[in-house]
Amino acid sequence: MILANARLSQGALADVEIASGVIAALHKPGSADQPGERIDLKGALLLPAFVDGHIHLDKTHWGAPRLPHVEGRSVRERIAAERVERHRVALPIEARASALIRTLIANGTTRTRSHVDIDNDVGLANLEAVLRVREAYRDWIDIQLVAFPQSGLTTEKGAPDLLAAALGAGADLIGGLDPAGFDGDVKGQLDIVFGLAERFGKGIDIHLHDSGKTGAAELRDIADRTIAAGMQGRVAVSHAFALGSIGPDLFAETTDALARAEVAIMTSCPPSAPVPPVGRLRARGVTLFAGSDNIRDCWSPYGNGDMLDRAAIIAERHGLFTDRELEEAFALTTSEADKALGHPRRELRAGAVADLVVVATASVADAVVDRPPRSLVLRAGRTAAERGVASAALKKL
Ligand SMILES: [Zn+2]
């Protein structure tokens, strides 16, 4: 296949040759005369496909009628509400999760990481449903699954055994939840999380909403444990609101520890929380990546699974206005997220996997500002979506 007259992120045009699922070569426009399918992009921008670094496939109500949002802002109140609401959603997990997956792909995302609830209420049922969804779409999207102790670890009886069973059943990472703020036992929860990671040889991704000095101390604890376990580059912390709510000296100490331990930070950049400051983290060498987090579920009535929207939300919140800054926001949904998730980066170069997105605009900065429709999404060189609609080859569950 030739994608003719593709605009690259630096502005130049090229004919991009794709063979056996990878970018075979970049040719001067008009110079590629290989046989096969030829699509003239007429100067539209060609981008690497996006990564949604944090979603909840089992929680989403996507495709089901909207349930009115139950009041309650604290993590504890939301969990209590969810334990009732999760049983009232009209469609089974497979139908909702697969509807969201097709939307992610239609929006240009071909890699994601989903946390999946594991607690005494649902046992491994949510994980088993999401594993079926992952299998059904394995040719179209890479899905990492995190065994997520949504109801706590030390305060939820039997949770460590359930999490061990989840890791044995196919979860790729072990999760965690506010060791101080929820379980009230930092050592107890982190001992279990790092113990399970070591026992099963899995990565870690911990939800940490704890703010201020408490959250910062937990971040440094996680960094120290990461180095002690030799897990540099395999640990992430999602949210890390503490980084948006501490003074400069503690910020420097904490981010230095994170950078040393190669602990990545995921931000969904909710407008209502003190979020990790993107530019200051980057300046201190901390890997930062983006995710949608909750998409239309018991935690949030918002979200649309569009990573160009997410890049724009992050850029606007942080006052990232120059083209270079907008490119940096975009990188949180592409190259930086690939790095954080342990995937090879998908640049536009010969040899890279042909996971590609076409948008009718002139530059990466324009793509973030305009968020134009995705005219074409390729997954390993095959058409996964066209004009914002997932291909018919992606079967509905
Ligand atoms: Zn989450």
Side-chain angles (χ1 to χ4, degrees):
M1 177 197 274
I2 302 288
L3 298 177
N5 299 305
R7 188 170 305 281
L8 308 180
S9 57
Q10 300 81 7
L13 292 178
D15 287 356
V16 179
E17 182 189 348
I18 295 165
S20 306
V22 301
I23 298 173
L26 301 181
H27 303 277
K28 282 196 179 128
S31 69
D33 53 4
Q34 284 76 2
E37 189 181 2
R38 184 182 179 88
I39 302 172
D40 188 352
L41 298 189
K42 299 178 179 158
L45 184 66
L46 187 62
L47 297 168
F50 314 147
V51 183
D52 195 332
H54 185 127
I55 57 172
H56 290 267
L57 283 173
D58 58 327
K59 292 181 189 287
T60 188
H61 301 169
W62 199 259
R66 190 180 70 84
L67 280 181
H69 191 72
V70 175
E71 277 188 69
R73 283 209 170 261
S74 74
V75 171
R76 205 169 290 279
E77 287 166 338
R78 295 252 52 86
I79 291 168
E82 182 174 48
R83 282 182 83 132
V84 177
E85 294 291 296
R86 62 169 45 144
H87 299 292
R88 296 181 53 224
V89 189
L91 292 173
I93 289 172
E94 287 90 334
R96 295 181 267 119
S98 70
L100 181 55
I101 287 293
R102 290 194 303 280
T103 298
L104 294 180
I105 292 169
N107 287 332
T109 290
T110 61
R111 282 179 180 160
T112 189
R113 173 179 288 178
S114 175
H115 298 249
V116 184
D117 289 1
I118 309 284
D119 62 20
N120 282 316
D121 183 37
V122 296
L124 299 187
N126 289 22
L127 177 68
E128 285 159 1
V130 174
L131 282 167
R132 285 191 282 276
V133 173
R134 173 163 78 175
E135 182 59 27
Y137 292 95
R138 61 178 307 141
D139 290 342
W140 302 102
I141 184 167
D142 300 312
I143 304 177
Q144 294 182 350
L145 298 178
V146 186
F148 175 43
Q150 175 65 88
S151 300
L153 248 170
T154 60
T155 52
E156 176 81 350
K157 201 167 176 294
D161 289 341
L162 274 175
L163 288 166
L167 293 171
D172 305 288
L173 299 102
I174 171 86
L177 172 67
D178 294 340
F182 194 79
D183 272 349
D185 182 357
V186 176
K187 182 175 184 310
Q189 184 178 127
L190 293 182
D191 279 354
I192 295 169
V193 169
F194 278 84
L196 285 170
E198 197 166 6
R199 180 172 147 207
F200 287 91
K202 308 275 186 172
I204 293 173
D205 191 332
I206 298 174
H207 277 70
L208 188 66
H209 312 89
D210 290 339
S211 62
K213 288 178 183 166
T214 301
E218 290 173 274
L219 286 169
R220 294 195 302 281
D221 196 345
I222 290 166
D224 291 346
R225 286 169 179 267
T226 298
I227 291 173
M231 289 188 65
Q232 292 93 325
R234 300 184 57 209
V235 176
V237 175
S238 289
H239 304 306
F241 293 150
L243 293 171
S245 60
I246 50 177
D249 291 347
L250 196 53
F251 182 84
E253 185 189 344
T254 305
T255 48
D256 283 352
L258 294 171
R260 245 193 332 269
E262 298 171 46
V263 171
I265 300 295
M266 189 295 302
T267 188
S268 61
C269 204
S272 50
V275 294
V278 167
R280 289 171 63 209
L281 278 174
R282 213 183 159 87
R284 299 200 76 87
V286 178
T287 300
L288 195 68
F289 64 111
S292 294
D293 199 14
N294 299 99
I295 300 174
R296 318 257 171 121
D297 59 21
C298 291
W299 292 75
S300 171
Y302 298 107
N304 61 2
D306 184 339
M307 293 314 286
L308 285 182
D309 268 2
R310 191 58 47 187
I313 289 166
I314 293 169
E316 196 168 0
R317 170 91 189 254
H318 288 85
L320 307 178
F321 291 170
T322 69
D323 281 15
R324 208 180 115 228
E325 289 170 336
L326 291 168
E327 286 165 11
E328 286 173 3
F330 178 70
L332 304 185
T333 71
T334 47
S335 55
E336 293 300 294
D338 274 335
K339 181 179 163 197
L341 267 57
H343 290 298
R345 293 183 190 207
R346 291 174 294 181
E347 293 142 323
L348 297 188
R349 57 169 176 78
V353 67
D355 281 15
L356 299 166
V357 179
V358 177
V359 283
T361 197
S363 70
V364 170
D366 285 314
V368 173
V369 171
D370 289 340
R371 289 159 264 170
R374 311 315 110 89
S375 8
L376 179 66
V377 179
L378 297 183
R379 158 70 170 184
R382 295 165 70 199
T383 300
E386 276 181 290
R387 292 181 289 282
V389 179
S391 155
L394 281 70
K395 298 267 185 301
K396 295 179 182 175
L397 296 187

